[in-house]
Amino acid sequence: MAFVDFEQRGPIGVITMNRPEALNALNDQVLKDLDAVLDAAEANDEVLVLILTGAGRSFVAGADIGQMKDFTPVQAKQFGMYGNSVFLKLENFPKPVIAAVNGFALGGGCELSMACDIRLASEKAKFGQPEVGLGITPGFGGTQRLARIVGVSNAMELILTAKNINAQQAKEIGLVSHVYPPEELMDKAMELAQAIAANAQVAVRQSKAAIRRGQQTDMYTGAAYEAEAFAVCFATEDQKDAMTAFVNKEKVAAFKNR
């Protein structure tokens, strides 16, 4: 892909947004490249967990304003709908996705990080939804995901003021889980990815799906999704092996992921 790189490190796939001359800004081609990389990573059975990061000093600095500034309303809607479709694919990707936010995550970049399952940040990271300062709204899910993640009041403040926050402030409101020195970020992301990859993957994926589905519905429907996910796991070899080992005071050497 021209602007999105993929590297496999054992069971971990690393996706790097690679348009550093534009701070990895999102245009049509970047979105198409990310879309294609996600499809390839899903089809690769050896890849169990993804890490998404950015090249250079930016994660993703936002959508490409140079491309957007002359959009008609119809073109703007088409661009927003396509970006949202890619981010929804990422959010509902069957394998866990960790955002390793290495720098600017503004506008579309903040929205991209929020479509991932877990967010880790470098001490140099900056987050924000600056769109109202440009005369527009967030267009790739920011008005929807931010409130779900950090609460309505925090989301309103960030979006309506267009202000940026640093990594520690992002951690304080729950936008990211951990903040690390820049030189440690990818190592910590790999450690987390490896810890996830070491578990039973049917259970991991069913857990992710139940959490995602539950966020979109009421508690009763969410509990029903969870019951289905719970039941699916009892059809796996991993459940039989792990529970038998537990009862025998043993430990499973490695999961078969089936």
Side-chain angles (χ1 to χ4, degrees), residues 4-254:
V4 181
D5 295 337
F6 180 81
E7 177 189 359
Q8 184 175 340
R9 304 182 190 176
I12 313 304
V14 179
I15 297 175
T16 303
M17 309 302 289
N18 192 12
R19 194 188 175 207
E21 71 282 356
L23 298 178
N24 303 324
L26 301 170
N27 61 17
D28 285 332
Q29 190 58 54
V30 176
L31 290 170
K32 288 176 184 176
D33 289 354
L34 178 58
D35 198 5
V37 167
L38 289 174
D39 286 342
E42 182 175 357
N44 187 339
D45 292 336
E46 295 179 356
V47 172
L48 305 182
V49 183
L50 294 181
I51 296 172
L52 179 60
T53 193
R57 60 192 182 96
S58 180
F59 179 71
V60 167
D64 192 327
I65 296 171
Q67 178 185 16
M68 291 193 300
K69 67 180 182 65
D70 295 322
F71 276 170
T72 66
V74 171
Q75 290 171 322
K77 185 174 182 179
Q78 290 172 337
F79 186 58
M81 289 180 67
Y82 181 58
N84 264 308
S85 73
V86 176
F87 285 20
L88 283 165
K89 177 183 286 189
L90 177 63
E91 182 175 65
N92 295 297
F93 196 73
K95 306 171 187 182
V97 184
I98 300 166
V101 183
N102 54 299
F104 298 114
L106 307 176
C110 188
E111 291 167 313
L112 179 62
S113 76
M114 290 192 291
C116 299
D117 301 311
I118 302 169
R119 285 162 295 283
L120 311 180
S122 157
E123 292 171 346
K124 293 184 177 181
K126 293 284 190 294
F127 296 85
Q129 298 289 162
E131 287 88 351
V132 298
L134 296 169
I136 60 174
T137 69
F140 292 164
T143 62
Q144 304 305 304
R145 291 191 182 92
L146 189 58
R148 286 169 166 83
I149 293 169
V150 304
V152 172
S153 181
N154 284 325
M156 287 284 190
E157 182 176 348
L158 281 171
I159 291 173
L160 301 186
T161 64
K163 72 178 182 180
N164 296 341
I165 58 174
N166 62 32
Q168 189 56 45
Q169 291 170 309
K171 185 176 184 295
E172 288 170 1
I173 64 173
L175 184 55
V176 303
S177 300
H178 302 280
V179 178
Y180 298 112
E183 65 275 12
E184 295 181 14
L185 178 63
M186 283 305 295
D187 287 343
K188 293 297 186 180
M190 285 296 297
E191 285 179 17
L192 178 58
Q194 292 284 2
I196 294 170
N199 287 313
Q201 292 306 297
V202 173
V204 165
R205 294 177 192 183
Q206 288 293 323
S207 295
K208 170 177 173 171
I211 292 168
R212 287 298 188 193
R213 289 173 178 172
Q215 287 184 308
Q216 309 303 321
T217 189
D218 62 273
M219 183 65 186
Y220 293 96
T221 305
Y225 283 136
E226 183 179 274
E228 290 295 327
F230 186 65
V232 165
C233 294
F234 280 81
T236 66
E237 292 181 43
D238 285 340
Q239 175 269 326
K240 302 292 188 294
D241 292 346
M243 287 195 168
T244 299
F246 182 86
V247 169
N248 293 334
K249 296 182 170 56
E250 298 171 349
K251 189 174 181 179
V252 173

